[in-house]
Amino acid sequence: MKSFFAELKRRKVHRVAIAYAVASWLLIQIATQVFPFFEIPNWAVRLVVLMLVLGFPIALILSWIFDLTPQGIRRTEERNGSFAPLPAGAAATRNIPEKSIAVLPFENLSDDKENEYFAAGVHNDILSNLAKVADLKVISRTSVQQFKSGTRSLREIGLALGVAHILEGTARRAGNRIRVNAQLIDARSDAQLWGETFDREITDLFALQSELAQRISQELRANLSAREKTNLQTHPTHDILAYELFLRARELFHWAGSGYSYDKGAHALRLIDEAIKRDPQFALAYGLASRLHSELFWFGYDKSTSRLEKAKEAADAALKLQSDLGEAHLAKAFYYYYGFRQYDVAQKHVSAAIRAIPNDADVLNTAGAIARRDGRWNEAVTSLEQARDRDPRNLSVLWSLFESYLALHEYAKADRTVSDALSVSPTADFFVLARSAIALFRDGDTAPLRSALRKIPRSFDPGGATSTIALRLSLMARDVEEADRVLAACAHEKLDDNGLSGVAGALDGYTVPKSWYAGLIAQARGNESSARVAFAQAKRAVRDDLVQSPNDAKTLAMLALIHAALGEKKEAVAAAARVVELLPIAKDSFDGPILATTLAAVSAKLGEKDSAIRQLESLVGVPNGPTPGTLRVEPEWNSLRNDPRFRKLAFAEINERAPA
């Protein structure tokens, strides 16, 4: 019965009934007062009354079926039915569910522009609350944030994000008072379904946000479990300033296609520490702190055990304060994932996070990343596609999806994913490079990637990743002069690798000493004495890294490469054996093939050609392993090029494959 009255309201039947009653009353008054003056018989008055009574149900039926819009009289859209055909395009062809919503950033109407974080807090908390409702499809923050300013057609936004409804609003803070205006719009018809203005004390902010989330859920007829109802009543903190610090830290944490950096992570941690000092019960802040510590460890900025201990302490604190907090379980998943590659334990925490916040794209993205490392590639792609559905304009999600398609040698899908990313941000430099990298993996063609590098601003070199691409490509092309120029211009002493320039020695997650590339360049020039000096310097740097993380497989793989370059066969073989023991493909289906390919390069460098070729034969075609294209151009295989077995691998028929 409640849903029936809600439908009457949506179709504006009540408005028609009121308007009809008022108009009928006026007509009856006119008939009874005017008709006798003109000596019109009484039966005419009775006829008018009878016609108006009979017309009332007809008017209600017509108002149920049709609606008066700015474009004229239109048939009312069914709540659970289809609507007018969407225009052509990837977003338009989606099957948009009825119970779907995008919450656009709230406009800050406060006189003090410093209150921008206040408006952002209102928006973020409503979004976070709705993300907990499993019966809804809720678009995540990154995608909606891109519609914060500029001319906005709600119909076009709905199509772009794949939702049927949009919530927009404003927030104003004046002293200790807040005013929030919110309205729910049917994105397909631009019709307002619900709107309300709330005036409250600032101390009631989080209660107001919970109330808004509940009202929206009711309007969309979302079925709420008992747990979800409880979660909607839970507030992250009662300290507004602590929440503002958290929002600023989270903004620094989000990756947006520009690369991760130590400075961002360190600054975000300082903000989070301030937030926790203000509110030691702020579980969400502990969760973010744990994520930051884990990221700094994983990306090679700090491989110390103390960094991991801090990640664990923060995640444990969050779970102790709030045992079912999805963000806390996600933080614990990353601790096991990044710190120990314990994907089974990480998966349990991700599953708990999905139950708590089923609409969170970050959680779904993480589920996909863990699944692919566990060798469950079909499941990985499914989770990543779900993440894209919840956050279609999130470059981080699109990058994970691109990486997966590239690893699976599904080059057409990888290219389409890059197109999606560039339609969101045409200047996202890593995606500009990613499109051209496809030709390298598929065909062994380095020209597109070298051309793309020339279009990238020289200042764009996060962690030295762009320099790594340029150096590796120069060495592939035997352009030693260019490699020299790149190395001289690089400001980093250690260089990251994001996997766009081949497989052999591409140790994403380990920052390679600059001296390693100096040694490769000197070796390419034929200057063995200079090469040995550079390689020895690189060996000292890697051994220093091993003091902090003696069981890091990528650090040991780098050491094996250096030993091989120095001709230290016994040491190279020992380091390689340890890598195989620590991280075989069976343990990590994403990094395992990269490391195995690197060890094949070690064998080739040591003159063990048969061993190198046998290893490559088992790797070509494996997800994230070497491709015929990369084998053709990577200098690591120069000693094998005349062997017919190698030529068979390097010039094998290239077929796109489905997930395994």
Side-chain angles (χ1 to χ4, degrees):
M1 182 60 70
K2 183 177 180 180
S3 63
F4 172 71
F5 285 116
E7 188 69 3
L8 287 176
K9 182 178 179 181
R10 185 182 77 86
R11 294 173 181 263
K12 304 183 181 72
V13 175
H14 66 294
R15 296 185 186 179
V16 172
I18 294 170
Y20 191 95
V22 171
S24 297
W25 181 82
L26 287 172
L27 287 173
I28 291 171
Q29 291 300 311
I30 291 171
T32 56
Q33 298 298 321
V34 176
F35 281 21
F37 180 79
F38 289 101
E39 297 182 350
I40 298 174
N42 285 337
W43 63 263
V45 177
R46 290 193 290 270
L47 180 63
V48 170
V49 174
L50 181 62
M51 293 296 293
L52 290 173
V53 171
L54 293 175
F56 183 69
I58 297 173
L60 295 185
I61 292 170
L62 290 175
S63 69
W64 178 275
I65 300 173
F66 298 100
D67 191 16
L68 184 62
T69 73
Q71 294 78 33
I73 295 176
R74 298 286 178 87
R75 188 178 183 89
T76 304
E77 304 290 358
E78 293 294 332
R79 277 293 233 184
N80 57 353
S82 60
F83 45 95
L86 303 177
T93 57
R94 296 190 201 133
N95 181 22
I96 298 178
E98 176 66 25
K99 297 179 183 180
S100 56
I101 186 171
V103 182
L104 299 186
F106 276 38
E107 182 183 359
N108 176 35
L109 297 183
S110 303
D111 295 331
D112 185 357
K113 293 305 175 184
E114 288 297 316
N115 281 323
E116 184 68 32
Y117 278 105
F118 164 73
V122 174
H123 170 253
N124 277 281
D125 206 40
I126 294 170
L127 194 57
S128 297
N129 280 328
L130 289 175
K132 300 171 184 175
V133 181
D135 198 34
L136 292 178
K137 172 188 173 181
V138 182
I139 300 301
S140 292
R141 174 187 176 278
T142 305
S143 289
V144 297
Q145 197 70 19
Q146 295 169 31
F147 297 102
K148 183 177 180 179
S149 59
T151 304
R152 305 190 300 187
S153 163
L154 297 186
R155 187 186 293 267
E156 291 176 0
I157 292 174
L159 292 177
L161 299 178
V163 294
H165 302 93
I166 288 175
L167 182 80
E168 60 178 0
T170 61
R172 180 191 295 275
R173 178 178 179 179
N176 291 324
R177 299 291 299 178
I178 55 173
R179 169 174 284 191
V180 174
N181 176 271
Q183 55 180 344
L184 183 65
I185 309 294
D186 188 320
R188 300 159 296 186
S189 64
D190 285 335
Q192 179 178 321
L193 305 178
W194 166 81
E196 194 163 340
T197 299
F198 302 85
D199 282 295
R200 302 287 173 84
E201 293 286 336
I202 190 69
T203 52
D204 294 332
L205 173 63
F206 295 114
L208 166 60
Q209 291 162 339
S210 295
E211 182 181 340
L212 274 169
Q214 289 174 336
R215 291 290 299 273
I216 294 161
S217 298
Q218 290 170 2
E219 287 292 328
L220 298 184
R221 300 181 186 174
N223 296 313
L224 297 177
S225 66
R227 175 180 177 177
E228 288 169 345
K229 290 177 181 177
T230 301
N231 286 341
L232 288 181
Q233 296 293 332
T234 303
H235 307 144
T237 177
H238 294 284
D239 189 313
I240 299 298
L241 292 178
Y243 193 61
E244 180 179 318
L245 289 164
F246 167 80
L247 291 174
R248 290 168 60 193
R250 188 171 63 181
E251 189 65 33
L252 287 169
F253 173 73
H254 281 298
W255 185 77
S258 59
Y260 196 79
S261 73
Y262 176 80
D263 291 342
K264 283 184 180 180
H267 183 40
L269 274 171
R270 287 193 293 271
L271 293 170
I272 282 295
D273 286 343
E274 289 182 47
I276 291 172
K277 284 178 183 177
R278 290 192 62 87
D279 182 5
Q281 306 300 309
F282 196 170
L284 205 58
Y286 285 107
L288 181 56
S290 177
R291 291 285 304 275
L292 286 161
H293 286 303
S294 293
E295 295 266 332
L296 291 172
F297 176 87
W298 178 260
F299 287 103
Y301 295 108
D302 182 357
K303 286 287 190 179
S304 65
T305 55
S306 63
R307 180 66 68 179
L308 275 182
E309 287 169 2
K310 289 177 181 177
K312 182 179 186 299
E313 288 170 3
D316 287 344
L319 287 170
K320 184 177 181 180
L321 288 166
Q322 208 170 326
S323 61
D324 60 348
L325 183 66
E327 290 84 354
H329 280 288
L330 184 61
K332 201 63 178 288
F334 273 106
Y335 166 71
Y336 286 109
Y337 173 7
Y338 282 173
F340 305 96
R341 299 178 188 269
Q342 293 183 10
Y343 303 127
D344 53 343
V345 184
Q347 180 61 51
K348 291 178 182 177
H349 283 286
V350 164
S351 297
I354 289 175
R355 288 193 296 271
I357 38 178
N359 282 289
D360 193 298
D362 193 18
V363 175
L364 294 167
N365 192 39
T366 306
I370 291 173
R372 70 186 182 187
R373 289 185 179 276
D374 205 28
R376 295 175 282 119
W377 285 93
N378 276 331
E379 188 177 329
V381 169
T382 298
S383 293
L384 293 172
E385 289 284 9
Q386 289 174 343
R388 175 164 67 174
D389 185 56
R390 293 301 189 275
D391 212 351
R393 299 173 71 83
N394 186 326
L395 296 184
S396 182
V397 170
L398 291 171
W399 185 265
S400 295
L401 197 54
F402 161 76
E403 279 186 321
S404 298
Y405 284 136
L406 187 68
L408 291 165
H409 317 135
E410 294 189 72
Y411 301 119
K413 290 183 179 179
D415 187 68
R416 286 196 293 272
T417 304
V418 171
S419 295
D420 288 345
L422 292 176
S423 70
V424 174
S425 179
T427 58
D429 295 310
F430 277 145
F431 280 104
V432 172
L433 295 172
R435 164 159 282 166
S436 300
I438 293 172
L440 168 66
F441 284 82
R442 183 185 58 211
D443 308 317
D445 186 358
T446 62
L449 190 49
R450 296 188 75 184
S451 176
L453 275 171
R454 290 192 285 271
K455 301 174 185 176
I456 302 299
R458 292 188 178 182
S459 59
F460 181 77
D461 193 22
T466 309
S467 291
T468 296
I469 297 170
L471 284 165
R472 287 173 62 87
L473 289 177
S474 298
L475 292 170
M476 289 177 192
R478 296 177 174 81
D479 190 342
V480 181
E481 299 301 326
E482 176 63 18
D484 248 339
R485 285 193 292 271
V486 171
L487 193 64
C490 180
H492 301 273
E493 287 305 313
K494 288 188 172 184
L495 285 71
D496 198 3
D497 190 320
N498 62 4
L500 292 181
S501 53
V503 182
L507 303 175
D508 180 18
Y510 176 74
T511 52
V512 176
K514 193 175 184 179
S515 49
W516 165 251
Y517 289 105
L520 292 178
I521 293 169
Q523 199 171 61
R525 288 185 183 279
N527 190 338
E528 287 298 328
S529 60
S530 294
R532 291 189 68 83
V533 171
F535 288 142
Q537 183 181 348
K539 183 165 67 173
R540 287 193 294 272
V542 174
R543 281 180 169 168
D544 288 342
D545 292 335
L546 282 171
V547 172
Q548 281 196 335
S549 49
N551 293 318
D552 184 73
K554 291 186 178 181
T555 308
L556 286 163
M558 187 72 244
L559 185 62
L561 283 171
I562 295 171
H563 281 312
L566 288 168
E568 298 168 349
K569 184 173 182 178
K570 181 179 178 181
E571 293 84 350
V573 170
R578 181 66 176 142
V579 172
V580 172
E581 179 185 342
L582 286 170
L583 203 62
I585 295 175
K587 187 174 181 179
D588 190 322
S589 294
F590 192 83
D591 275 342
I594 296 173
L595 289 169
T597 305
T598 298
L599 299 184
V602 169
S603 297
K605 188 66 180 177
L606 293 174
E608 302 287 344
K609 294 184 180 181
D610 289 343
S611 176
I613 290 173
R614 282 197 304 271
Q615 291 175 73
L616 290 175
E617 286 174 339
S618 68
L619 290 169
V620 173
V622 169
N624 223 29
T627 67
T630 58
L631 292 180
R632 292 175 200 172
V633 293
E634 287 179 327
E636 286 82 359
W637 318 118
N638 287 345
S639 64
L640 308 179
R641 299 213 179 276
N642 293 328
D643 192 298
R645 294 170 297 173
F646 178 81
R647 292 182 62 82
K648 182 179 179 181
L649 293 173
F651 292 92
E653 186 70 26
I654 301 172
N655 295 310
E656 294 199 22
R657 51 166 291 155

